């Protein structure tokens, strides 16, 4: 995927004339598409940055990658509306995008083309509901969770090399997730800057997005740790810790479990940091939860903290709204193996 990106981008325009006319129901997938214009990883990686920066929606081959219910061009239209929308309209568009690109756990391939635009929209202070835009971008970078799993599932992002998953249209989801994660890596500078945003919710969700990156791990982890030293928001602190843990799990950083243990066992740390580190540690190791960790959770998890952390995106994915932290802790403390 390191060829002449300008030539590749030009080839996309030619390929549009030959795109199949059968509509979304005709979409499938073939291993032979690898490294071609039908490989969404190639499309996202090869699109010139000026297309994303200039919001040049026509420079992306949406027709090759439909959403769950229709043509990919409808996703492009929604992304364009989101950039110009007032607050009520923006929220409506975000909800519609969720439905179109990830309906009932069936993500569409067109989401990979939307994410670079979404990150730039979220970085614009004039955008309404910026944290929800980041939540959408971060959610689209992750595999669909099977909530039957226990420890480790909280921090799973992509699929294993020997694990294939297909969307309802037949396209390989592995490629789509790789494309989104690659886009986040390429735009890590945009998202890292949001760690210092005045809006605490934006800082939380920026950490959530960065945790799905497939590269620049050292620089991203360092930025998360630097922000943690000065962060004063309860949810933001927890998100920073969980983001560090997720990057460690996805990229096998064996130094992080000890870092997590140091923090959950230190009574001088804020409760949300200790709880976040305890969650991270449980997901990074196979060891049984020691009595000291259980005591830490018993001391730190007050009704107030459980309410405050109930909207942390990792936890919401694991349990019902309003009870997400307690539900997650029950799941992780069960004697089930880490997968």
């Amino acid at each position: 995927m390191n060829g002449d990106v300008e030539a590749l981008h030009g080839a996309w325009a030619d390929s549009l004339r030959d795109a199949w006319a059968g509509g979304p129901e005709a979409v499938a997938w073939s291993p032979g598409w690898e490294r071609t214009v039908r490989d969404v990883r190639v499309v996202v990686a090869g699109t010139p940055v000026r297309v994303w920066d200039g919001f040049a929606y026509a420079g992306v081959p949406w027709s090759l990658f439909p959403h769950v219910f229709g043509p990919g061009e409808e996703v492009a239209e929604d992304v364009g509306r989101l950039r110009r929308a007032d607050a009520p309209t923006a929220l409506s568009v975000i909800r519609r995008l969720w439905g179109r690109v990830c309906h009932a756990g069936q993500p569409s391939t067109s989401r990979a083309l939307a994410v670079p635009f979404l990150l730039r929209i979220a970085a614009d202070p004039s955008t309404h509901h910026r944290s929800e835009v980041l939540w959408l971008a971060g959610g689209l970078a992750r595999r669909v969770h099977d909530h039957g799993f226990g420890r480790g599932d909280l921090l799973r992002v992509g699929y294993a090399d020997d694990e294939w998953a297909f969307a309802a249209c037949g396209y390989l989801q592995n490629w789509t997730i790789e494309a989104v994660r690659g886009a986040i890596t390429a735009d890590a500078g945009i998202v890292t800057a949001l760690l210092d945003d005045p809006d605490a919710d934006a800082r939380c969700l920026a950490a959530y997005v960065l945790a799905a990156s497939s590269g620049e791990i050292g620089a991203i982890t360092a930025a998360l740790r630097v922000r943690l030293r000065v962060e004063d928001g309860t949810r933001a602190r927890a998100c920073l810790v969980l983001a560090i843990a997720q990057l460690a799990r996805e990229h096998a950083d064996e130094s992080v479990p000890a870092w997590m243990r140091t923090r959950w066992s230190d009574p001088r740390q804020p409760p949300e940091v200790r709880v976040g580190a305890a969650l991270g540690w449980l997901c990074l190791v196979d060891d049984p939860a020691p009595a000291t960790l259980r005591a830490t959770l018993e001391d730190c998890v007050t009704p107030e903290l459980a309410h405050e952390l109930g909207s942390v995106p990792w936890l919401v994915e694991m349990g019902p709204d309003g009870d997400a932290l307690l539900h997650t802790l029950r799941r992780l403390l069960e004697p089930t193996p880490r997968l």
Side-chain angles (χ1 to χ4, degrees):
M1 291 189 284
N2 295 321
D4 185 342
V5 296
E6 294 289 344
L8 178 61
H9 188 258
W12 291 336
D14 296 334
S15 74
L16 297 181
R17 295 194 301 269
D18 303 321
W20 58 88
E25 66 277 3
V27 178
W29 173 81
S30 167
W33 291 356
E34 187 171 12
R35 299 178 185 273
T36 74
V37 294
R38 288 179 176 170
D39 183 339
V40 72
R41 300 170 300 175
V42 170
V43 173
V44 173
T47 298
V49 69
R50 67 173 183 272
V51 172
W52 311 122
D53 287 347
F55 296 94
Y57 307 114
V60 178
W62 299 95
S63 65
L64 292 178
F65 304 102
H67 66 79
V68 175
F69 300 111
E73 290 89 344
E74 292 181 344
V75 175
E77 292 169 3
D78 275 344
V79 172
R81 291 189 189 99
L82 179 60
R83 187 172 174 230
R84 304 183 301 270
D86 58 21
T89 303
L91 193 58
S92 175
V93 171
I94 292 167
R95 290 170 177 165
R96 185 165 62 240
L97 278 169
W98 270 114
R100 282 179 165 171
V101 300
C102 197
H103 174 72
Q106 287 294 330
S108 71
T109 308
S110 58
R111 63 179 172 161
L113 307 182
V115 166
F117 293 121
L118 293 175
L119 296 179
R120 286 159 174 80
I121 290 170
D124 183 348
S126 68
T127 297
H128 296 286
H129 301 293
R130 295 164 61 228
S131 60
E132 284 82 357
V133 177
L134 287 168
W135 196 321
L136 174 61
L140 298 182
R142 289 163 165 84
R143 58 173 289 155
V144 176
H145 279 290
D146 181 339
H147 296 302
F149 291 141
R151 288 172 64 174
D153 195 49
L154 181 71
L155 299 182
R156 299 180 79 184
V157 178
Y159 294 96
D161 293 340
D162 61 350
E163 183 181 16
W164 287 20
F166 293 88
C169 68
Y171 200 90
L172 186 64
Q173 290 190 43
N174 306 53
W175 283 9
T176 305
I177 289 179
E178 289 174 25
V180 178
R181 297 180 69 190
I184 291 170
T185 301
D187 290 330
I190 294 173
V191 187
T192 299
L194 293 174
L195 293 175
D196 296 320
D197 196 89
D199 184 346
D201 286 339
R203 299 197 300 273
C204 292
L205 275 299
Y208 179 63
V209 172
L210 288 169
S213 178
S214 59
E216 302 294 333
I217 306 308
I220 292 173
T221 299
L224 293 169
R225 292 190 183 191
V226 167
R227 181 64 212 179
L228 183 60
R229 296 189 195 114
V230 298
E231 180 59 59
D232 60 2
T234 299
R235 275 176 294 169
R237 283 174 173 158
C239 284
L240 289 165
V241 173
L242 288 171
I244 292 168
Q246 186 156 63
L247 287 169
R249 188 195 192 284
E250 287 294 303
H251 302 279
D253 187 340
E254 297 181 358
S255 69
V256 172
W259 186 90
M260 293 284 164
R261 182 164 192 143
T262 298
R263 275 143 191 84
W264 66 249
S265 62
D266 183 357
R268 297 170 297 180
Q269 295 289 330
E272 60 273 16
V273 170
R274 300 184 73 191
V275 171
L279 292 171
W281 186 87
L282 285 167
C283 294
L284 291 172
V285 304
D286 295 316
D287 306 25
T292 49
L293 183 142
R294 292 177 181 271
T296 293
L297 293 172
E298 186 174 345
D299 289 342
C300 292
V301 180
T302 62
E304 294 76 18
L305 185 66
H307 174 77
E308 184 69 17
L309 300 188
S311 59
V312 167
W314 289 272
L315 308 185
V316 170
E317 291 174 5
M318 293 292 289
D321 292 346
D323 193 30
L325 175 59
L326 298 178
H327 182 84
T328 301
L329 288 172
R330 286 193 293 268
R331 296 290 298 278
L332 297 188
L333 291 172
E334 291 176 357
T336 54
R338 182 170 63 88
L339 301 177

